[in-house]
Amino acid sequence: SDLEASITRRKNLLSNENYLNKAPKELVEKEKNTLKDEEEKLAKLKKLLDDGVISQEEFDEAKKKLLGV
């Protein structure tokens, strides 16, 4: 999905030593925090879906909002 792709891109970026050495430390920390927040929110949404608390449609809508789409 788009969110998983976004998370993967951020993980790849944050594992790139060239980026880490050149980017301002504040930006790197912000990216790490954003990535962590997105992963946590996605995990919570997925649990709600798996537990039957929300429908697939509600999950998809919440995921779109999380992505800013």
Side-chain angles (χ1 to χ4, degrees):
S1 78
D2 293 338
L3 183 57
E4 286 93 354
S6 174
I7 289 171
T8 299
R9 281 193 300 275
R10 282 202 174 98
K11 283 182 178 178
N12 290 339
L13 183 63
L14 292 171
S15 67
N16 181 318
E17 280 195 42
N18 190 35
Y19 170 77
L20 294 174
N21 290 333
K22 291 183 178 180
K25 292 193 185 310
E26 304 84 34
L27 179 60
V28 172
E29 284 305 312
K30 182 179 177 187
E31 283 294 319
K32 286 180 182 178
N33 290 335
T34 299
L35 176 62
K36 182 180 175 187
D37 288 347
E38 287 178 350
E39 289 176 321
E40 288 173 358
K41 288 176 184 175
L42 180 61
K44 287 177 184 177
L45 284 172
K46 181 69 171 128
K47 180 162 178 21
L48 291 172
L49 176 64
D50 292 345
D51 291 347
V53 176
I54 62 173
S55 67
Q56 183 67 49
E57 185 178 294
E58 291 169 316
F59 174 81
D60 293 342
E61 189 61 34
K63 189 169 75 168
K64 285 180 185 179
K65 286 181 183 177
L66 183 60
L67 286 172
V69 177

